[in-house]
Amino acid sequence: MDASVTLTRISLLFLSLLFTLSCHSQADLIGDTCKKTLFPDLCISTLRSNPSSAAADVKGLARIMFYATAVKATATLNQVNVLLKKTNDVVLIECLENCASEYASALNDIFTANKNVGSDIFAAKGVAADLIAEAQDCEGTFTDEPYKRKSPLTVENEVLRDLAATVIEIINTLGMDVSVTLTRMSLLFLSLLFTLSCHSQADLIGDTCKKTLHPDLCISALRSNPSSVAADVEGLARIVFYAIAVKATATLNQVNVLLKKTNDVVLIGALEN
């Protein structure tokens, strides 16, 4: 009897250790994945708030993050509909209806993207980038001249933008991606667009860049171009867009070099894509 009890206790201890190791390993996966993203705290809190993350691989984590963007987009769309019922301001109504359209489109995109995470990461990343653009378009509609309005959705747009940016960074960890820097520069460009408003600060570059996802990259990219000295915020956005074109060209050249050096069929397929 004593031997049986001892064996049972050892078995329970073994199972407990396995459970602990599993939880620890998954916690490490979430932490390791999130520390590579633009918003690690947001990434960790979002993933750990979803019970499915406990057993998810990296693809699963990307899907969970996409799900979080869907939840946020749905909540924001509901908020837009509430605001539409509360206002008689014709201009504000037009802005809100534009946002409703953007967020409805975002929801359709998210459900498509979730299917692509495991099969077409480039398409999935494209959808995430579209989500950032849709949040930007919603925010931008309130600042269009000549009838500017204070956006009631700035926080919501920023959260969706940050969640979508996190999705891109998680997807980047799924495999070789020679365009990670290009992706980040594209996100930087979108961030600059997000801050297009009147500025009167002496250090326009510093003031603008500190509001972006990658302030150091922003500052170095802008200050390396002499045109930035006399540029306004729209000019700074154009300069970063030019930097993206330069980086894209360099990356394309790198891809062509890699294609000449490999006979790996799978790698060739990825590079050609």
Side-chain angles (χ1 to χ4, degrees):
M1 182 68 179
D2 288 343
S4 176
V5 171
T6 301
L7 181 59
T8 300
R9 288 182 175 178
I10 290 174
S11 299
L12 290 173
L13 175 60
F14 177 68
L15 291 173
S16 177
L17 283 171
L18 285 180
F19 180 78
T20 301
L21 286 172
S22 174
C23 291
H24 178 70
S25 175
Q26 194 59 25
D28 286 346
L29 178 61
I30 292 174
D32 289 344
T33 302
C34 287
K35 72 181 181 182
K36 300 173 185 176
T37 68
L38 304 172
F39 305 99
D41 293 340
L42 175 65
C43 176
I44 289 172
S45 63
T46 301
L47 291 175
R48 287 186 175 160
S49 68
N50 189 315
S52 301
S53 67
D57 57 9
V58 178
K59 290 179 184 177
L61 297 182
R63 291 191 180 99
I64 290 169
M65 193 61 68
F66 260 131
Y67 173 76
T69 65
V71 171
K72 185 61 184 177
T74 300
T76 304
L77 184 57
N78 291 338
Q79 182 180 348
V80 169
N81 290 329
V82 169
L83 291 171
L84 280 168
K85 294 176 182 178
K86 290 183 176 181
T87 184
N88 294 317
D89 184 326
V90 176
V91 175
L92 185 57
I93 288 173
E94 184 178 350
C95 293
L96 290 169
E97 287 178 342
N98 180 69
C99 286
S101 175
E102 294 292 346
Y103 273 86
S105 175
L107 284 169
N108 289 332
D109 291 344
I110 291 167
F111 295 125
T112 300
N114 248 338
K115 299 176 183 178
N116 290 328
V117 169
S119 58
D120 189 344
I121 63 173
F122 295 99
K125 284 171 61 176
V127 168
D130 287 343
L131 294 178
I132 295 173
E134 284 157 352
Q136 156 63 27
D137 288 344
C138 172
E139 187 67 19
T141 193
F142 293 97
T143 60
D144 288 344
E145 297 288 359
Y147 304 109
K148 284 188 176 183
R149 292 290 186 276
K150 178 176 173 58
S151 171
L153 301 171
T154 298
V155 173
E156 287 73 15
N157 288 328
E158 289 178 347
V159 171
L160 182 64
R161 178 199 66 184
D162 295 351
L163 287 170
T166 302
V167 170
I168 291 174
E169 293 293 328
I170 291 177
I171 292 174
N172 280 342
T173 69
L174 290 174
M176 187 196 72
D177 187 356
V178 297
S179 61
V180 171
T181 301
L182 179 59
T183 298
R184 291 191 169 187
M185 292 187 75
S186 298
L187 291 174
L188 170 60
F189 174 67
L190 290 170
S191 296
L192 280 172
L193 290 181
F194 204 85
T195 63
L196 280 178
S197 57
C198 294
H199 290 268
S200 59
Q201 288 80 355
D203 187 1
L204 182 60
I205 292 177
D207 183 67
T208 303
C209 287
K210 72 182 181 182
K211 299 178 181 178
T212 67
L213 303 175
H214 296 283
D216 292 340
L217 176 62
C218 174
I219 290 172
S220 64
L222 290 174
R223 289 188 173 158
S224 66
N225 189 316
S227 301
S228 65
V229 175
D232 57 9
V233 180
E234 291 184 7
L236 298 182
R238 292 190 185 97
I239 291 169
V240 172
F241 196 65
Y242 172 76
I244 292 171
V246 171
K247 184 61 182 177
T249 301
T251 302
L252 181 59
N253 291 337
Q254 181 183 353
V255 168
N256 290 330
V257 170
L258 292 171
L259 281 169
K260 294 177 181 178
K261 290 183 176 180
T262 183
N263 294 316
D264 185 324
V265 177
V266 176
L267 182 57
I268 289 173
L271 289 169
E272 288 179 341
N273 188 56

